[in-house]
Amino acid sequence: MDLLQQVLSEKGKPLLIINEFKFRKIGKSKDGIKWRCTVKSCTSSVCSDESVTTLLTSNLNHNHEKSSNINRQIVANSLKRKAIDQITTRPLKLIRNEVQSSAVDLTLNDVNSIRRSVYRSRRKTLPPLPKNLPEVHAALTNLDTNSIQPGNYLLRKHANRYPEILDFFLSNLPNHLKTQTTNLNDPASDHTPVLLQINTQAPNKPSFKQINWPNFRNILSNITNLNIKLKTKEDIDLAITSLTENILLAKNNSLSRTSNTISFNHITPEISQLIIEKRRARNKWQHSHYPDDRHIYNSLSNKLKKLLKKHKNVLYESHLSSLSPNNGSPWRKTKSLLRHKTILPPLQRQNCNLAVSAQDKAELLA
C-alpha cells in the first residue's frame, strides 16, 4: 500500500507525496481530488478521497527519478509554521532544533535554502513597505508615532512648503547628555527646522548617603514604644509593622550626604597619561579585533603594570621613611603588620557541603 503524505510547496500550495514522488493538486471531481505529477513532462496522476488518506485510482508510471528535496521541503514547511508562531526565536535555532528532533540529514545548501524560506515566511507577517508618498502617510497614520510636538506633527502640511516632502528627525545620544528639542517654525524655510540643544557639561558626581549611627540610635529609641501587647497574632503583626516603620523613619532622618571623591594626587602625570592611552587602545582593539591593535594594547598594559608596581614601591618607601619614634608611628605600624586576622570558617552542612545561599545559612543557623 502506498504511503500518502500531504505537505505544502514553497508557495503554500498543497502537494501529495507518494513513494518520494510529488503530485500537485489539479482540482476536485465527483470521485474525489485529482493530483498530477509536478514534472510537466510526466503523465502520472492519481485520484484520492476527500480526506487524502486513500487512493481511488492511480497511474504511477513516472519517466523521471524520485525527488531528492522532499525531506528538506517537509522540514521547511514545519519551520515556516514555527517561525510565525515563535516570532522572537532566531531561524537558525529553529532549524537546529528541528533537525535534531526529526533526525534528517541536510546539506549546507539545504540549510541555507530553509533559512531563506523561513525569513520569507516571517517577512510576510510584517506590514509591507510603502512605495509612494500616499502609502507613507497612510502607514504613519496607522502606526503609533511619537513627535516632539503634540498632535499630528509629522504629517503637518503648510501652504508654502512642498507637500511631497516628509521630514524625520532621529537622534541617538548618550543618556548622560541633557538634550532639548525645539520646533522653530521658520516661515522662510521649505522644511520644518528643529533645533537640538545639547548640554556638554560634565555630569556631577553622584553623592552617596551615610548613616549617622548615634543619631539613628537616638531617633529609634525616642519613637519606639515598648509598652505594647503581644498576646494575639494580630498584636504581633501590628508590632512588627510598627517596628519596621520606625526603623525606616530613623534611617531616613539620620542619613547624611557625603561626596564620593577619590584622590588621585599620588598618581604621576606619566601614569595618568598611560592609563588614558591604554583605555583608548583597549577600545580600539575591542572594535577592530586586529592582532596589531591587540599587541599595542598588551604592550601598554604591561608597561602600566610595571610603572604602577614601581610607583607603589616608591610610595611605600616614603611612608616607611616618614615613621618617627617621637610619635610612636613605628610601633603602631609594627603592631598592624603583626596583628593576626581571624578568618571565619565557612558554614558546612552535615553532608560536608558548604552553605552558600542566604536561605541555606539561615536554615543551618536556625
Side-chain angles (χ1 to χ4, degrees):
M1 182 177 180
D2 298 326
L3 180 62
L4 305 183
Q5 187 176 6
Q6 190 174 5
V7 297
L8 295 177
S9 65
E10 295 181 356
K11 296 183 180 180
K13 301 298 180 63
L15 291 178
L16 183 64
I17 299 176
I18 304 175
N19 298 332
E20 299 184 6
F21 289 99
K22 293 187 292 185
F23 293 82
R24 56 185 175 86
K25 184 178 179 181
I26 300 176
K28 293 183 179 181
S29 64
K30 296 180 181 180
D31 299 332
I33 302 176
K34 291 184 178 182
W35 305 83
R36 187 181 177 87
C37 184
T38 55
V39 180
K40 294 183 178 180
S41 60
C42 183
T43 59
S44 298
S45 62
V46 295
C47 181
S48 66
D49 56 352
E50 293 291 340
S51 59
V52 196
T53 56
T54 307
L55 290 180
L56 302 179
T57 59
S58 61
N59 177 18
L60 302 178
N61 297 323
H62 296 273
N63 58 1
H64 56 89
E65 298 295 332
K66 296 181 180 180
S67 301
S68 59
N69 60 346
I70 291 180
N71 292 331
R72 185 192 71 185
Q73 198 163 3
I74 295 174
V75 173
N77 293 333
S78 177
L79 287 172
K80 287 179 183 179
R81 293 189 296 270
K82 293 181 179 180
I84 297 175
D85 297 337
Q86 306 174 14
I87 194 67
T88 59
T89 308
R90 298 181 61 183
L92 288 179
K93 184 177 181 180
L94 293 175
I95 294 172
R96 184 169 59 251
N97 296 336
E98 184 68 21
V99 171
Q100 292 177 355
S101 61
S102 59
V104 178
D105 295 333
L106 298 175
T107 62
L108 182 59
N109 294 332
D110 294 337
V111 173
N112 293 332
S113 177
I114 292 174
R115 183 171 58 86
R116 287 193 296 267
S117 63
V118 169
Y119 273 113
R120 284 195 300 266
S121 61
R122 181 173 287 181
R123 196 179 298 117
K124 292 179 181 178
T125 60
L126 301 176
L129 295 177
K131 298 180 180 179
N132 49 41
L133 187 63
E135 292 183 1
V136 172
H137 283 267
L140 290 175
T141 305
N142 298 329
L143 294 177
D144 186 13
T145 54
N146 295 324
S147 61
I148 63 172
Q149 296 290 341
N152 197 10
Y153 173 77
L154 290 176
L155 303 180
R156 184 180 299 170
K157 296 182 179 181
H158 300 273
N160 62 334
R161 293 181 174 90
Y162 297 108
E164 66 273 6
I165 295 179
L166 186 64
D167 294 335
F168 292 90
F169 179 80
L170 303 177
S171 64
N172 186 10
L173 299 173
N175 296 327
H176 67 274
L177 295 180
K178 295 182 179 180
T179 60
Q180 182 181 0
T181 52
T182 307
N183 183 13
L184 299 180
N185 289 326
D186 187 6
S189 175
D190 57 351
H191 299 273
T192 303
V194 176
L195 176 64
L196 174 64
Q197 296 177 345
I198 303 175
N199 185 10
T200 58
Q201 295 181 357
N204 297 327
K205 294 182 178 180
S207 59
F208 297 88
K209 295 183 179 181
Q210 188 176 6
I211 297 178
N212 187 357
W213 292 111
N215 190 18
F216 173 81
R217 190 182 304 108
N218 295 331
I219 295 174
L220 186 61
S221 61
N222 293 331
I223 63 177
T224 303
N225 183 18
L226 300 179
N227 297 326
I228 55 177
K229 297 179 180 180
L230 299 175
K231 295 182 179 180
T232 62
K233 183 179 179 181
E234 290 76 10
D235 295 339
I236 296 175
D237 293 339
L238 184 61
I240 293 175
T241 304
S242 178
L243 179 61
T244 304
E245 293 177 354
N246 292 339
I247 292 174
L248 292 176
L249 181 61
K251 187 263 297 183
N252 294 330
N253 293 332
S254 58
L255 290 176
S256 60
R257 292 184 176 273
T258 58
S259 59
N260 184 25
T261 58
I262 302 175
S263 177
F264 294 95
N265 297 328
H266 298 294
I267 296 179
T268 61
E270 182 183 4
I271 295 178
S272 301
Q273 184 63 28
L274 193 59
I275 291 174
I276 295 174
E277 293 178 0
K278 189 204 77 167
R279 291 175 178 175
R280 291 176 179 174
R282 180 182 59 187
N283 188 18
K284 185 177 180 181
W285 172 74
Q286 288 177 350
H287 282 79
S288 63
H289 290 280
Y290 290 152
D292 295 339
D293 296 337
R294 177 63 183 271
H295 177 70
I296 295 173
Y297 169 60
N298 291 337
S299 176
L300 292 175
S301 298
N302 295 330
K303 185 178 179 181
L304 180 61
K305 289 178 182 178
K306 293 179 181 178
L307 282 179
L308 287 175
K309 185 178 181 180
K310 183 179 179 181
H311 183 66
K312 288 180 180 178
N313 293 333
V314 172
L315 290 179
Y316 194 73
E317 290 177 0
S318 62
H319 173 66
L320 293 179
S321 61
S322 64
L323 299 179
S324 174
N326 298 328
N327 55 7
S329 56
W331 313 112
R332 289 194 298 270
K333 186 64 177 179
T334 304
K335 185 178 180 180
S336 64
L337 292 176
L338 298 178
R339 183 182 301 154
H340 177 69
K341 298 181 181 179
T342 305
I343 301 176
L344 296 177
L347 297 177
Q348 290 185 349
R349 299 179 182 178
Q350 294 181 356
N351 56 1
C352 298
N353 292 333
L354 297 180
V356 180
S357 63
Q359 183 177 0
D360 295 341
K361 294 178 182 179
E363 293 177 354
L364 190 61
L365 295 175

